[in-house]
Amino acid sequence: MTQAWRKGEVDGMAGIESELVAELARRQDMTVLNLKLPRVTSVFFNQAKSKVLASKAVREALEVAVNRQDITHTVFNGFALAALSPLPDIVQGFQAFIQKDPSLEKAKEILAQDKWQDADGDGIMEKSISQKEEIKLAFHLVTAQTPDLINTAELLRSQWSKLGAQVEVTPLDVTHLTEDYLRPRNYDALLFGQVWSPIPDAFHFWHSSQKKDPGLNLALWDNAEGDKAIELMRKGTTTTDRLEATKIFQQKVQEDIPAIFLYQPTFLWIFPKTLKGPLERSLNNPADRFTSANLFYIKTRRTLR
């Protein structure tokens, strides 16, 4: 596609890697649109499988240690947005979380208060959870075998290693990931994306009844008040009721930290500056960029006023 573009065989491109777009954006004859999509990529914690991640203090420390801006700039060259909620910021009822500034020192304090320490000096935190059992701050992170997810997972591993966490990253092809990990919930932590509708329905993603396959509650989140809010998001008779339920749902997720919401990927579209007309600024899906294509134009002429 890029070779065809350089030869002049095509006028525009979309779905390009951010590294290439950063190069093309410097051209004076091209327009680059960074379009918002209703998607959020997150790390989901399986507290049922990992004793380490069952600790809220550990999940909070991991969250505080994450530098989202580092991810959006290093992995996406700035062509992505830091996630502020389980919901993307273009859907109805979105409410931004109170941002926790990334702080390795604060994260270490949280672990120290929960009695984690590196007693043997190997760089990995450990904690005694009983007289007979000691656990290390170590877990397995799986993700899909795509460049953006792999690079994000490696950056997370690097950030968390400075906290004293040992993270094994395993990228997998989609079929293997789905059949052997997602469906049986066979993972400690999962780096994955979710796609939302403009009026969000959190039932399949977050209701406790969806913890097992074919449900999509990837964090196995179970919160009674959260369930009620999710149900009201569907059944509320007024927009006000649904918006209030959406707000409560987001608050309960923030309190429990079943996942860390990292970034909203965006859709990159490059085309000649000669293309004019109404252009979308956010999309429900990539094809929506052509919603107003019947009003696009290239030819112009001067006329007397």
Side-chain angles (χ1 to χ4, degrees), residues 126-142:
E126 58 265 341
K127 177 184 176 180
S128 295
I129 58 175
S130 70
Q131 291 183 342
K132 296 182 179 181
E133 185 177 7
E134 180 179 85
I135 58 174
K136 283 187 172 290
L137 185 53
F139 58 92
H140 187 200
L141 175 66
V142 298

Side-chain angles (χ1 to χ4, degrees), residues 42-205:
S42 315
V43 174
F44 300 93
F45 298 126
N46 186 347
Q47 300 176 48
K49 186 173 185 296
S50 171
K51 292 180 180 180
V52 170
L53 298 174
S55 165
K56 184 177 179 180
V58 168
R59 300 195 304 275
E60 183 180 5
L62 292 173
E63 181 182 29
V64 172
V66 167
N67 189 325
R68 293 173 176 81
Q69 295 300 327
D70 193 16
I71 294 172
T72 59
H73 283 81
T74 302
V75 179
F76 298 96
N77 290 287
F79 293 103
L81 305 170
L84 304 175
S85 162
L87 302 179
D89 64 2
I90 59 173
V91 306
Q92 180 177 286
F94 163 81
Q95 183 181 39
F97 286 176
I98 297 173
Q99 278 294 84
K100 299 174 182 176
D101 293 332
S103 171
L104 191 59
E105 292 72 23
K106 177 62 177 176
K108 289 180 176 179
E109 287 178 13
I110 294 169
L111 290 180
Q113 291 170 4
D114 197 45
K115 299 182 180 180
W116 289 86
Q117 60 180 333
D118 181 15
D120 56 9
D122 65 351
I124 304 170
M125 293 286 197
E126 58 265 341
K127 177 184 176 180
S128 295
I129 58 175
S130 70
Q131 291 183 342
K132 296 182 179 181
E133 185 177 7
E134 180 179 85
I135 58 174
K136 283 187 172 290
L137 185 53
F139 58 92
H140 187 200
L141 175 66
V142 298
T143 192
Q145 210 165 33
T146 65
D148 289 347
L149 289 174
I150 292 172
N151 292 336
T152 298
E154 289 297 335
L155 190 52
L156 287 172
R157 183 190 60 76
S158 176
Q159 291 180 358
W160 286 336
S161 68
K162 297 172 185 175
L163 181 62
Q166 183 181 54
V167 183
E168 179 185 354
V169 173
T170 302
L172 301 159
D173 66 80
V174 174
T175 300
H176 188 193
L177 177 65
T178 301
E179 295 300 322
D180 297 334
Y181 290 86
L182 266 65
R183 296 186 69 180
R185 304 296 194 259
N186 182 30
Y187 50 84
D188 296 334
L190 167 71
L191 176 62
F192 209 62
Q194 292 178 327
V195 180
W196 293 85
S197 58
I199 300 177
D201 180 0
F203 187 85
H204 294 292
F205 289 154

Side-chain angles (χ1 to χ4, degrees), residues 232-290:
L232 191 57
M233 287 171 67
R234 280 185 157 190
K235 300 176 182 177
T237 55
T238 67
T239 300
T240 301
D241 289 342
R242 292 192 294 273
L243 288 175
E244 180 62 23
T246 305
K247 176 181 177 181
I248 293 171
F249 154 66
Q250 292 170 92
Q251 289 173 341
K252 294 303 173 184
V253 170
Q254 182 180 24
E255 291 171 7
D256 286 354
I257 320 176
I260 299 175
F261 309 105
L262 299 174
Y263 61 85
Q264 288 181 219
T266 55
F267 186 80
L268 298 169
W269 184 21
I270 183 168
F271 53 85
K273 285 190 181 297
T274 52
L275 179 64
K276 308 294 182 181
L279 299 169
E280 303 296 328
R281 295 296 167 181
S282 62
L283 308 172
N284 291 327
N285 62 71
D288 287 348
R289 68 189 186 278
F290 296 120

Side-chain angles (χ1 to χ4, degrees), residues 216-234:
L216 296 172
N217 184 347
L218 301 176
L220 286 73
W221 190 51
D222 194 334
N223 183 297
E225 292 181 72
D227 279 353
K228 290 179 182 178
I230 289 169
E231 292 162 12
L232 191 57
M233 287 171 67
R234 280 185 157 190

